[in-house]
Amino acid sequence: MRRLWQKRNNVTRLACLILLAAAILLLPPQAAFASPPLPATPWRGAAFSGDRAALEKLAAAGANAVRVYHERDAWVLDEARKLGIGVLMGLDVGLPRYGFRLDDPQAVSAQENRIRAFVQRHRNHPALLAWVIGNEVEHGMSDPLPAWREIDRLAGVVKKLDPAHPTVMSVNDGGSQYLKQLAGCCANVDMIGLNLYAGAAFGLDGRIRTAGIGKPLLIAELGPLGQWQAGRKPWGAPVELTSREKADYFRRALAELGKNPQIRGVFAFLWGIKQEQTATWHGLLLSDNSLTEITDALAEAWGRPAVSAAPSILGIGISADEFAPGAIVSSTIEVRGEALVTGWLVCKEASDLRGGGESEPSPEAVGVEVLSAGTSSIRFRAPSTPGAYRLFITVRDGNGKAATANLPFLVK
């Protein structure tokens, strides 16, 4: 009787094991292992490139999270903890557009070993929120899937080392075909991060549904009209929005994206400074960390409206687009604010353009003969050397805030 009872128990246990194995096999790949918890309150913050003072201002504006891009930015973890905000930590992934070979076993192995060591070193940091594996690694590739498969493989490596924090892939918004490929390509990625600019932030819900993306989303970068999207002067210079126009964009875009519960965080681009076409195109702060009307708009959306409003440039104008060498150039602005001081600066048009989001060298400032200058207007002589130039306008108040605009013009 005892032998019969043991035999029945063995048969029962075997049957249970077979049923469990069958259940696991029937699960979709991403459900075979538990995903780490996602934020109960959506992350609100910015992509970051700055110093501790800039990080302090981000926290003071009401952000609860910050995104950094590189392993060299690990110092942000300790500083963010002191400020009470979390960090989406970037892991450097080699870029094929700059020569990284996805089919080079040695390069791929060395990259994995470096990432392993970094994750093991920082995985228990109390400020850590998630791992962002690379950024737009697929940029410049006709087929993004090889790059995305490598990111997914690395995400699997990271998840085994640190199952407590979500893995994120950050990609550009390459259109409907990109989104369809994203829907099922990366089982080890917990959240898909989209870098959105200008109108891509609007109507995203429908595009995501059509593509079949069911995973949680991050807006890993949110920015107004990029220089690759902007209208251009006849000689090719893109036209940048004023700080007021950018602030208006963020207000509308954040309100729109906040309606979608699938989006678990939005990161404005870029809290800090970055020369990319101009020093003000993407930077939300000035080089001295002065706040702007753009940062006021973000603080308002994050629930901490600014005590004092930044100055605002309501309109700008220039007497012509093209001038003869030495001709008189006049420019006027309409500005709102108190105790304002306007700075006027002429620079050569940026020519060393890198593309792909890479930082560029700042263009050379040009000395011009100023005939008159005040808060709302300037008259000066055009440079004597033919070429493309840009007049930069910075209006400051007495509270450490500023407004920006610029006007491209041609001397020929």
Side-chain angles (χ1 to χ4, degrees):
M1 178 67 70
R2 184 177 180 182
R3 288 179 180 175
L4 179 60
W5 178 252
Q6 288 176 336
K7 185 175 181 181
R8 287 178 177 173
N9 279 348
N10 290 338
V11 170
T12 302
R13 281 196 291 268
L14 179 60
C16 288
L17 288 172
I18 292 172
L19 289 172
L20 178 61
I24 291 174
L25 289 172
L26 289 172
L27 288 173
Q30 61 268 34
F33 301 97
S35 296
L38 299 178
T41 300
W43 295 324
R44 58 181 189 273
F48 181 76
S49 177
D51 56 16
R52 192 185 193 284
L55 192 64
E56 289 175 348
K57 292 190 174 187
L58 178 62
N64 64 12
V66 60
R67 178 195 174 187
V68 296
Y69 287 82
H70 304 289
E71 292 157 30
R72 64 174 181 264
D73 297 322
W75 66 269
V76 173
L77 287 165
D78 289 340
E79 298 302 323
R81 182 189 182 189
K82 297 173 188 175
L83 296 168
I85 60 177
V87 180
L88 277 72
M89 189 69 232
L91 298 174
D92 292 295
V93 176
L95 303 175
R97 63 182 178 271
Y98 292 133
F100 186 85
R101 294 285 301 274
L102 294 169
D103 58 354
D104 182 340
Q106 289 184 330
V108 169
S109 177
Q111 175 168 265
E112 178 185 325
N113 290 337
R114 189 201 73 244
I115 288 176
R116 281 180 177 275
F118 186 86
V119 171
Q120 288 173 324
R121 187 158 62 250
H122 297 288
R123 60 190 172 186
N124 295 318
H125 199 287
L128 180 65
L129 295 176
W131 300 104
V132 184
I133 304 166
N135 183 65
E136 295 189 2
V137 178
E138 78 288 348
H139 184 81
M141 301 177 68
S142 57
D143 179 8
L145 286 177
W148 291 350
R149 291 189 186 109
E150 176 59 13
I151 292 174
D152 184 57
R153 189 188 71 80
L154 290 171
V157 171
V158 172
K159 286 173 75 70
K160 288 180 181 178
L161 294 170
D162 180 15
H165 295 101
T167 54
V168 181
M169 65 185 298
S170 178
V171 304
N172 66 33
D173 180 22
S176 58
Q177 188 59 36
Y178 260 42
L179 295 179
K180 289 178 181 178
Q181 289 176 296
L182 277 172
C185 78
C186 302
N188 293 310
V189 171
D190 297 311
M191 307 177 79
I192 293 177
L194 296 174
N195 296 342
L196 302 182
Y197 290 83
F202 302 93
L204 180 64
D205 297 13
R207 294 195 293 131
I208 292 299
R209 283 195 301 271
T210 300
I213 295 178
K215 286 185 178 182
L217 298 176
L218 286 181
I219 307 307
E221 291 178 7
L222 175 67
L225 199 68
Q227 68 271 25
W228 62 93
Q229 301 166 310
R232 294 180 178 270
K233 295 295 185 180
W235 59 94
V239 178
E240 181 177 343
L241 301 179
T242 66
S243 54
R244 176 180 175 79
E245 292 170 323
K246 294 174 187 177
D248 287 343
Y249 168 83
F250 276 110
R251 290 187 183 98
R252 292 184 294 106
L254 289 171
E256 175 74 13
L257 295 170
K259 300 174 184 177
N260 186 342
Q262 192 175 350
I263 297 172
R264 304 308 300 155
V266 179
F267 293 85
F269 188 84
L270 173 76
W271 194 277
I273 58 170
K274 182 184 185 185
Q275 171 65 38
E276 192 177 344
Q277 189 70 50
T278 74
T280 56
W281 203 296
H282 296 289
L284 305 175
L285 309 178
L286 301 193
S287 60
D288 61 357
N289 287 333
S290 292
L291 299 175
T292 64
E293 190 174 5
I294 312 170
T295 62
D296 281 1
L298 294 172
E300 181 182 346
W302 297 337
R304 199 171 295 176
V307 175
S308 62
S312 183
I313 296 175
L314 306 178
I316 55 176
I318 192 167
S319 51
D321 280 347
E322 300 181 5
F323 300 90
I328 294 177
V329 181
S330 61
S331 174
T332 59
I333 62 172
E334 182 184 357
V335 63
R336 181 178 62 199
E338 297 180 359
L340 302 180
V341 176
T342 302
W344 310 84
L345 179 67
V346 176
C347 291
K348 291 183 177 179
E349 183 66 41
S351 57
D352 189 358
L353 305 177
R354 305 295 175 84
E358 299 302 313
S359 293
E360 302 161 357
S362 298
E364 178 185 349
V366 178
V368 295
E369 181 186 354
V370 177
L371 304 176
S372 64
T375 302
S376 58
S377 65
I378 187 174
R379 293 175 70 249
F380 63 93
R381 292 196 180 276
S384 58
T385 303
Y389 297 89
R390 201 174 280 257
L391 173 63
F392 288 90
I393 306 159
T394 305
V395 181
R396 297 179 180 273
D397 64 12
N399 298 312
K401 293 188 173 182
T404 62
N406 62 70
L407 291 160
F409 66 94
L410 185 69
V411 175
K412 69 173 191 177

